[in-house]
Amino acid sequence: AIDHNTNKRIAVGEEARLMIGRTPANIVAVRPMRDGVIADYQTTELMLKYFLEKAGAKRWPFFKTRVVVCIPSGVTEVEQRAVKQAAYQAGAKDVKVVEEPYAAALGAGLDISGPTGSMVVDIGGGTTDIAVLSLSGIVAKKSLRVGGDKFDEAISRYIRRVHNLMIGERTAEQIKIEIGSAIPEGFPAGQIAVRGRDLITGLPKTIKVNSQECYVALQESIELIVAAVKEVLERTPPELSSDIFDKGIIMTGGGSMMYGFDTRLSRETG
């Protein structure tokens, strides 16, 4: 959240997110990262400075701040340089980049050092990264500009089209988190009261939205991710494909909601 009158940072992270749609004209809540890449360079630099300070990094001549930045697997060289440069400008002395599915695999506790295949689907806020890993490297990968933000937009469009109700970004995200569903049966089942502005009368209005409607709203985005997973599997060597069939697929998420399916146990895992 930036005060345009003084060009100073007001808030970062969750505190700034709560300000979306609720700020006066001089304060604007912005998202400096869009679709996994930098959309606003100066604001990204301010954000990184905040996180480095929060982590205890100091600008001491004898203190070398080493930073690791995750990037989508499909970014260009120019986008990668922009991320590294923003980290340097924020105070880092040594910057390394690592592809998001690789970091997600390590975070999920996968042993990717051996000659067996593991598949990771990392659904973030701006991108979905799909990768097959083996021997500490990425064998096949694909990155989509589809993630939690696109899910929110899809829900907002659905509510506007079907219920003639205009809702904000935060409300769409709340619907996704509380009752969002990626399967037709609507798991987790339930409904939520949604408040917004009636497009016909212009007055405030409250409606009920259920999990089945969320599935319909999200279906197109989910199908894009499923198609990308199939594409990566088609480019995976048969030996690694059999490993993935035995082990299942690890699905992780940052700015999104999704469920993983463990093929060994044939059960849904949150």
Side-chain angles (χ1 to χ4, degrees), residues 186-255:
F187 179 82
Q191 63 178 8
I192 184 176
V194 177
R195 298 177 179 86
R197 187 176 77 245
D198 193 309
L199 293 174
I200 298 175
T201 65
L203 299 175
K205 180 181 176 182
T206 300
I207 62 170
K208 295 284 187 179
V209 177
N210 58 44
S211 298
Q212 180 62 30
E213 289 184 285
C214 276
Y215 167 74
V216 174
L218 297 173
Q219 187 175 9
E220 183 179 352
S221 298
I222 293 167
E223 287 176 351
L224 288 173
I225 294 174
V226 171
V229 170
K230 291 180 179 178
E231 182 182 332
V232 172
L233 285 172
E234 288 172 358
R235 292 191 275 110
T236 301
E239 290 79 5
L240 297 181
S241 294
S242 62
D243 292 338
I244 295 167
F245 182 82
D246 292 334
K247 295 169 63 177
I249 300 173
I250 299 296
M251 306 189 76
T252 65

Side-chain angles (χ1 to χ4, degrees), residues 4-270:
H4 277 323
N5 291 343
T6 60
N7 201 31
K8 289 186 177 180
R9 181 188 72 217
I10 303 298
V12 179
E14 179 66 14
E15 186 180 351
R17 188 186 73 86
L18 295 175
M19 295 182 182
I20 294 176
R22 300 174 181 271
T23 59
N26 63 305
I27 298 177
V28 180
V30 296
R31 303 188 68 171
M33 303 288 290
R34 285 282 181 182
D35 296 333
V37 296
I38 294 175
D40 186 327
Y41 187 87
Q42 289 184 327
T43 311
T44 300
E45 187 180 326
L46 287 173
M47 181 181 70
L48 288 174
K49 282 182 179 177
Y50 169 83
F51 286 134
L52 287 174
E53 291 169 2
K54 190 175 181 180
K58 304 291 185 182
R59 286 179 175 269
W60 294 334
F62 55 86
F63 187 87
K64 189 175 183 180
T65 304
R66 296 176 176 175
V67 177
V68 177
V69 183
C70 290
I71 58 171
S73 56
V75 300
T76 64
E77 287 291 330
V78 174
E79 291 168 338
Q80 186 177 142
R81 282 201 301 271
V83 171
K84 293 181 72 172
Q85 188 62 32
Y88 282 126
Q89 291 294 330
K93 298 299 182 183
D94 185 21
V95 180
K96 302 293 184 184
V97 294
V98 59
E99 292 180 295
E100 289 179 357
Y102 189 91
L106 295 177
L110 288 180
D111 181 10
I112 58 175
S113 61
T116 58
S118 300
M119 189 175 205
V120 172
V121 181
D122 177 25
I123 305 170
T127 60
T128 292
D129 288 277
I130 304 152
V132 174
L133 303 102
S134 179
L135 292 172
S136 299
I138 295 179
V139 178
K141 64 183 180 181
K142 185 175 180 64
S143 181
L144 292 177
R145 296 292 170 95
V146 176
D149 295 340
K150 289 292 189 294
F151 294 168
D152 297 341
E153 292 171 11
I155 291 172
S156 182
R157 285 197 305 270
Y158 177 87
I159 298 296
R160 185 167 63 247
R161 185 180 72 251
V162 175
H163 297 284
N164 289 317
L165 193 72
M166 179 73 74
I167 62 173
E169 182 181 332
R170 283 184 56 201
T171 302
E173 184 181 33
Q174 182 185 3
I175 295 171
K176 175 188 69 180
I177 292 172
E178 294 195 15
I179 61 167
S181 177
I183 54 178
E185 290 76 11
F187 179 82
Q191 63 178 8
I192 184 176
V194 177
R195 298 177 179 86
R197 187 176 77 245
D198 193 309
L199 293 174
I200 298 175
T201 65
L203 299 175
K205 180 181 176 182
T206 300
I207 62 170
K208 295 284 187 179
V209 177
N210 58 44
S211 298
Q212 180 62 30
E213 289 184 285
C214 276
Y215 167 74
V216 174
L218 297 173
Q219 187 175 9
E220 183 179 352
S221 298
I222 293 167
E223 287 176 351
L224 288 173
I225 294 174
V226 171
V229 170
K230 291 180 179 178
E231 182 182 332
V232 172
L233 285 172
E234 288 172 358
R235 292 191 275 110
T236 301
E239 290 79 5
L240 297 181
S241 294
S242 62
D243 292 338
I244 295 167
F245 182 82
D246 292 334
K247 295 169 63 177
I249 300 173
I250 299 296
M251 306 189 76
T252 65
S256 63
M257 178 283 305
M258 187 56 68
Y259 296 96
F261 294 88
D262 189 325
T263 57
R264 293 169 300 172
L265 303 178
S266 298
R267 64 177 176 84
E268 297 159 359
T269 56

